[in-house]
Amino acid sequence: MARGPKKHLKRMFAPSHWMLDKLKGRWAPRPSAGPHKLRECLPLIVMLRNRLKYALTYRECKMIVMQRLIKVDGKVRTDMFYPAGFMDVIEIEKTKENFRLLYDTKARFVLHKISKEESGYKLCRIRRVQKGLRGIPYATTHDGRTLRYPDPEVKANDTVRIDIATGKILDFVKFEAGNVVMISGGNNIGRVGLIVHREKHPGAMEIVHVKDAVGHTFATRLSNVFVIGKGNKPWVSLPKGNGVKLSIIEDRAAKMAKR
């Protein structure tokens, strides 16, 4: 009989984008409960041990986080299973490094290095806007934040720029045709393009048509689309490739050219 929450995760069932090798042990780190879902996050231990290679073992990861060296969105995190997710800013003061978690076009998390200035803010997608106690309007975001008294123009699916130090809204951008977006879920994850058209289907999924920088068009669900800037100017720097998905042949040619 299952009593209480699950505390373990088998290596075979860990999300494939963590890219853990299946022969190095039976278990995978199970992320703690937090702002991002288990299958849409990157725990700090995977980041430090498998991506950045700052630690070789579980114990070394624990030592790093317990020295209060890792900040996620401006807050020190001492839990090495803390789930960092899309658009989170990771700060390591000791190495003077700042990273933003973004996706590449192969659905993997990229620790994209950013400047000190850019690490001061992050983008959040608005999930919904409601009225709370005593009629106070508040918005909830994709990373579990509650923003009280948002601008009355801000609606669901829009994106707000948040100052990490204060948690206040600095700016916002509407979800409308012509704005640049990044796809944060589904088959086209990691692709960047401009919104062309939004299909409304009452009672079913709304579909958004997007056109990328090289002219390829694709369609995805509304819930997968994350606006990242006004017009064709993104508010965050993009990882290598600028969110353009290469065909299998182009990808192979690029790999062969590196050899």
Side-chain angles (χ1 to χ4, degrees):
M1 240 171 78
R3 292 168 186 267
K6 290 192 174 75
K7 294 205 166 93
H8 295 75
L9 178 66
K10 286 268 180 85
R11 180 72 48 118
M12 283 292 292
F13 305 111
S16 57
H17 62 77
W18 292 1
M19 295 187 292
L20 303 176
D21 25 17
K22 61 186 177 187
L23 298 177
K24 298 264 179 74
R26 182 181 293 184
W27 304 100
R30 186 183 182 89
S32 308
H36 298 277
K37 294 181 178 178
L38 183 145
R39 307 205 72 81
E40 294 166 12
C41 75
L42 192 69
L44 297 185
I45 181 171
V46 175
M47 197 183 298
L48 292 169
R49 192 173 59 179
N50 301 56
R51 292 286 186 286
L52 297 172
K53 308 279 197 294
Y54 284 159
L56 290 172
T57 60
Y58 175 102
R59 193 148 174 261
E60 286 177 13
C61 286
K62 193 164 201 168
M63 286 173 177
I64 292 171
V65 295
M66 292 315 272
Q67 288 175 59
R68 304 177 70 81
L69 299 175
I70 309 293
K71 284 185 178 177
V72 181
D73 288 345
K75 284 197 172 71
V76 171
R77 298 292 176 190
T78 57
D79 173 17
M80 62 181 177
F81 301 108
Y82 179 81
F86 185 54
M87 283 290 169
D88 284 2
V89 174
I90 317 295
E91 188 183 341
I92 307 173
E93 277 177 12
K94 203 155 198 179
T95 60
K96 296 187 172 58
E97 285 179 312
N98 297 292
F99 301 98
R100 193 185 299 282
L101 270 182
L102 297 170
Y103 289 112
D104 68 3
T105 51
K106 296 192 174 176
R108 300 174 302 209
F109 271 119
V110 176
L111 279 160
H112 176 58
K113 208 172 255 193
I114 54 175
S115 64
K116 187 81 181 128
E117 295 75 55
E118 204 191 317
S119 69
Y121 65 85
K122 73 176 290 193
L123 303 185
C124 293
R125 185 178 194 268
I126 300 292
R127 282 264 165 92
R128 57 173 179 261
V129 181
Q130 287 178 306
K131 281 203 170 82
L133 208 61
R134 300 186 189 88
I136 293 172
Y138 70 92
T140 51
T141 64
H142 82 285
D143 61 349
R145 290 167 191 261
T146 302
L147 306 169
R148 299 176 81 210
Y149 298 108
D151 189 300
E153 286 293 301
V154 172
K155 297 284 184 282
N157 308 317
D158 295 348
T159 294
V160 292
R161 178 161 34 182
I162 286 180
D163 179 27
I164 284 175
T166 61
K168 298 278 191 293
I169 297 175
L170 298 172
D171 200 355
F172 68 94
V173 57
K174 300 291 291 173
F175 185 97
E176 56 197 15
N179 283 344
V180 63
V181 298
M182 191 173 208
I183 308 302
S184 61
N187 231 4
N188 294 302
I189 190 166
R191 294 180 77 171
V192 173
L194 303 178
I195 300 174
V196 177
H197 171 58
R198 174 177 170 182
E199 275 179 37
K200 296 198 176 183
H201 299 283
M205 298 287 177
E206 292 191 15
I207 304 295
V208 178
H209 293 267
V210 181
K211 186 174 192 175
D212 71 8
V214 292
H216 298 308
T217 53
F218 55 95
T220 187
R221 286 178 176 179
L222 176 67
S223 57
N224 296 335
V225 180
F226 193 117
V227 182
I228 56 168
K230 276 197 174 86
N232 57 1
K233 294 263 189 304
W235 285 352
V236 294
S237 58
L238 297 175
K240 197 169 65 183
N242 289 334
V244 174
K245 190 171 189 175
L246 301 175
S247 68
I248 302 168
I249 296 160
E250 289 166 338
D251 194 26
R252 180 176 175 273
K255 279 179 184 168
M256 296 298 274
K258 278 184 190 170
R259 285 186 177 177

